Amino acid sequence: MSSVRVQGLTKRFGNHAAVFEVSFDVPTGGTIALLGPSGCGKTTILRCLAGLETPDFGVIDIDGEPVFDHAKGIDLAPERRGLGIVFQSYAVWPHMTVAENVAFPLKVRGMGAAERKDRAARMLELVGLKGFEDRSATLVSGGQQQRIALARALVHEPRLVLFDEALSNLDTRLRQQMRMELRMLQERLGFTAVYVTHDQAEAFGLADTVILMNNGAIEITGPSREVFLHPRSAFAARFFGMNVLEGRLLESQSDPRYLEAELSPRLIVRGVAAPEQDLQPNGRVLACIRKDAVHVFRPERPEDATGTIVAASFLGAEEEYLVEVAGVRIQTIGAAVGLQKGDAVCVTMAADEWVFVR
Amino acid sequence: MSGQGEWAQKRLPAAGVAVGVILIAGPFLATVVRSLLVWRDDSPHLSLGNFANLFGDARFVSAATNTLVAGVCTTFFSLILGFSLAFLVCRTDMPGRRWLETANLVPFFLSPYVGAISWIYLLAPHGGLLPALVRTHLGISLEWLNIYSVPGVIFVLTLFYTPYVYLFVTPPLREMDASFEDAARVHGASFWYTTRHITLPLVMPAMLSAGLIVFVTSAGLFDVPLALAAPRGIRFMPTEIFAMVQYPSDLGKAAAFGMVVLTVTVMLTLWQRKFLAGRRFDTITGKGYRPRTIKLRLPTKIAALTLEAIYVGGGVVLPLFVLLLVSFSKLWTGRFLWRTATTGNYEYILTKYDLTRTAIANSLFLAVTGATIGVGLAVLQGYYLTRGNPKRRALMETLLSLPLGIPGIILGLGFLIMALHTPLYSTLTIILIAYIARFQPFATRNVTAMFMAINPELEQSARASGATWKQTMRHIVLPLLKPSLIASWLMLFVIFIRELGATILLYAQGTETISVAMVVLSERSSGYVAALAVVQLILLLVAFIAFQITRTPISQRST
């Protein structure tokens, strides 16, 4: 059974359709990430799920119960949808203690003070904030506020929990730690989770299914691994940080397993077509390759060099290069080997790493 | 599927706004209509006769000229004084600046009418404390220093309007990102060059909007011309309108005058809003370091303290001192004599005299009720202006802020015309309504600012947690608004306790307020007036102290 079913969701702000005819399902206990650049409509979808925005068209079911149905005039108030939500700002109420914040969903449901206290304490223990109950909620660190917001979103055992860029305000190290903890907590408690994020690592790390959004519509949906490894559009390839190079698809193929594309008169690459592409021989094609699938190294003999380093930037464990091969500029990323601008290098690209899209 | 909660969420804030709009539209329309009506053969006719009548009157020309001259001069002097004081307090190491920071604000809380009569006691040609002292001890005559004059009005107005500038200029001076000035210094500008070419231009928007508010409100103030100009027949706009309503009254002409004033103030207010719209928060980034403090050398330090002594002395210490002397004197002649000192004035006004006892009770009733209703409305209006229908918000905000520039006497006139033949006429209720109409927008502005500082996600997560709109208001919004609700309540209380301009046309026997009682008594005994002024001052100071205690610094507020 699906926990969340969204059909034909459309939301306009003035003349601009922030979300246009979006449909997707999340199974009970499933995790889904709405991924995309800012302004792609992912937060609007989340706010529609929560009842904080009223969509213009469409249907939203939660646990088989319609919470929004434009045609039937159903629009449940946020408090009647039985959800939990974690905002990017955490939205921890500054005038309450940590325990009061966490116990709030229980309080508005009319639970007695003793039981409230007990459940809030258990939830705080679960998120690693045991002993923080009576602290003022504003006098704790950002990471701890994040945990308070999380505990508050889970304390009333909601069927669905929404996360709006929930980890974006944390520093990198804390974000990685929180991502792991959140994943474990989700598996343990089994709630359905919808994450909104612009960070691909967060989306892949937290969710089984990823929906990549582009300009108010769904670009790709699928299991995390598949979405990342097999981008089906230039937008997706660019969003995941791949090289996207324009070329022409060649007519004759020397190897039936691969297609060939000419990126410049002296550079022909082999690759596979992404699913559901209508590629015409001799037609324009976009050839995509991940930066880490391009390797550069110093040639043993200078005459073996096939490319030149145009720019190099040292990132710590890794190094990023812009390399020119036969008149085409390609970005690479890999272990720091200390190449300099102007160095002549060998460039290798595995054939099955190239993906062709229209 | 709309539940009751959603109904409340949509209707209540809109109702609050509707009340505000009616409160401003009612007197405005009444004034417009009345200004165009002329009675002939006992029946009203539409005519421009009132305007012709007004513009042909030499008294109108003299009143308008005096009002404009006094307004411009007051604005000019207040800007200089306010900026200087704010700069000294915020940016220098002047000794005692922490204490003076509060002292500079005290005149803001005092009654300008009481200030004006205090300066009469201090400086009247006959019976003034200062001329008498100087004559006795230095042998110099100060009789050329006539407080009953246009310069006298400007002097007292400047004392009372300087804190407005001070309040406007302090935040940008204090919170301006230090890097603006540091960048200038690093790139080779001297301190004075930086102040002139970086600091002052950055503070200019605040100065200009403060200047406009000072001009509009000081020119419309009834209190000071009533005390200092009317006794010598010097005409000012507010006193002239007051005179037109007195027997033999010419309401049509007064309404025409009101229209002229309304047109000017509404235009200035709208212009100021437009001007301010693009410039908000220009200088305050919320990040970076606080600007540096300037170390004063000894001569500058002495000069700075002298300026402070003159301002705090003239605006607070001397008026309070002379009021106490007069209130304990049997008969005020410019000298305080211990052997005739008496508490009789206080006994009389507090226990024996019906007028003053009623007035004190009325003022307290108006202030407490008015402040409570005003803050309640402010919450609803603030909610609407920050969370309501986005298409109508801007228009409503402009409409609701209009009364801030309208002189109390003009609004009082509008309500007088409206209430004239209704049961509301000569009741406390009509005074209460006028007070709320004129001053409640201050509270709305405060509360709206606080609403804007509250992240809507704080409310949204409450709703998502299962709280209804009403529960969210009760448990989340109102507690978060509390500091600004208390501040707004106290501010309205202070304003209502000392209000005179809007009351003077609306009071009747039995609905006098403290300020009205002072005006009525001013022709009888200065002792009673001074004692009543001291009683009023005590009420104001209690509110001021409460304000200082409950005021949370912005830095400690959470958002």
Side-chain angles (χ1 to χ4, degrees), chain B residues 79-158:
Chain B
L79 281 174
I80 294 176
L81 197 54
F83 177 79
S84 310
L85 295 176
F87 191 86
L88 288 175
V89 165
C90 299
R91 304 298 290 279
T92 71
D93 65 341
M94 177 175 66
R97 62 187 184 282
R98 221 165 264 167
W99 186 83
L100 289 167
E101 185 188 346
T102 309
N104 288 336
L105 275 179
V106 173
F108 188 69
F109 289 83
L110 302 181
S111 153
Y113 182 71
V114 172
I117 53 175
S118 305
W119 273 97
I120 294 175
Y121 301 149
L122 281 167
L123 214 58
H126 305 287
L129 179 71
L130 294 179
L133 277 179
V134 170
R135 200 183 318 116
T136 320
H137 294 283
L138 302 173
I140 304 167
S141 167
L142 283 182
E143 286 190 10
W144 51 274
L145 260 181
N146 186 3
I147 193 74
Y148 292 112
S149 61
V150 176
V153 170
I154 295 169
F155 169 69
V156 173
L157 283 176
T158 302

Side-chain angles (χ1 to χ4, degrees), chain B residues 48-313:
Chain B
L48 286 175
N50 289 319
F51 287 92
N53 198 353
L54 179 75
F55 295 137
D57 189 343
R59 288 183 297 181
F60 165 74
V61 178
S62 118
T65 313
N66 284 335
T67 304
L68 285 178
V69 168
V72 168
C73 293
T74 301
T75 309
F76 179 73
F77 294 126
S78 301
L79 281 174
I80 294 176
L81 197 54
F83 177 79
S84 310
L85 295 176
F87 191 86
L88 288 175
V89 165
C90 299
R91 304 298 290 279
T92 71
D93 65 341
M94 177 175 66
R97 62 187 184 282
R98 221 165 264 167
W99 186 83
L100 289 167
E101 185 188 346
T102 309
N104 288 336
L105 275 179
V106 173
F108 188 69
F109 289 83
L110 302 181
S111 153
Y113 182 71
V114 172
I117 53 175
S118 305
W119 273 97
I120 294 175
Y121 301 149
L122 281 167
L123 214 58
H126 305 287
L129 179 71
L130 294 179
L133 277 179
V134 170
R135 200 183 318 116
T136 320
H137 294 283
L138 302 173
I140 304 167
S141 167
L142 283 182
E143 286 190 10
W144 51 274
L145 260 181
N146 186 3
I147 193 74
Y148 292 112
S149 61
V150 176
V153 170
I154 295 169
F155 169 69
V156 173
L157 283 176
T158 302
L159 288 179
F160 282 90
Y161 281 94
T162 295
Y164 284 69
V165 180
Y166 181 85
L167 275 175
F168 265 82
V169 178
T170 304
L173 269 183
R174 199 186 293 275
E175 286 162 34
M176 181 188 296
D177 191 335
S179 59
F180 288 125
E181 290 174 352
D182 290 351
R185 297 299 293 274
V186 170
H187 293 117
S190 68
F191 163 71
W192 285 112
Y193 189 91
T194 307
T195 304
R196 262 188 52 210
H197 293 267
I198 308 292
T199 316
L200 205 55
L202 284 172
V203 176
M204 220 48 201
M207 291 278 279
L208 284 174
S209 47
L212 208 76
I213 285 182
V214 168
F215 175 77
V216 168
T217 46
S218 69
L221 192 72
F222 173 70
D223 310 35
V224 176
L226 175 74
L228 300 180
R232 291 292 183 276
I234 305 167
R235 297 179 199 289
F236 272 77
M237 178 277 288
T239 45
E240 199 56 26
I241 288 183
F242 176 63
M244 287 175 187
V245 176
Q246 305 308 303
Y247 184 81
S249 73
D250 187 346
L251 268 185
K253 195 167 160 191
F257 204 160
M259 277 311 297
V260 174
V261 178
L262 273 175
T263 312
V264 174
T265 50
V266 166
M267 267 164 48
L268 282 176
T269 312
L270 291 180
W271 179 75
Q272 185 234 1
R273 288 181 60 82
K274 203 177 152 194
F275 173 78
L276 268 185
R279 292 181 179 252
R280 238 173 254 171
F281 311 124
D282 261 349
T283 52
I284 303 166
T285 56
K287 290 175 195 149
Y289 296 95
R290 286 281 168 90
R292 240 182 286 291
T293 311
I294 295 138
K295 288 202 164 53
L296 297 178
R297 280 187 228 130
L298 191 63
T300 356
K301 213 172 256 185
I302 292 169
L305 284 174
T306 310
L307 186 70
E308 278 286 4
I310 291 173
Y311 181 67
V312 177

Side-chain angles (χ1 to χ4, degrees), chain A residues 47 79 83 89 93 95 109, chain B residues 457-458 460 463-465 475:
Chain A
R47 293 174 62 83
E79 65 268 22
L83 311 175
S89 66
W93 299 306
H95 59 297
R109 284 171 172 76
Chain B
E457 290 182 352
L458 292 172
Q460 290 163 359
R463 295 299 295 278
S465 300
H475 294 299

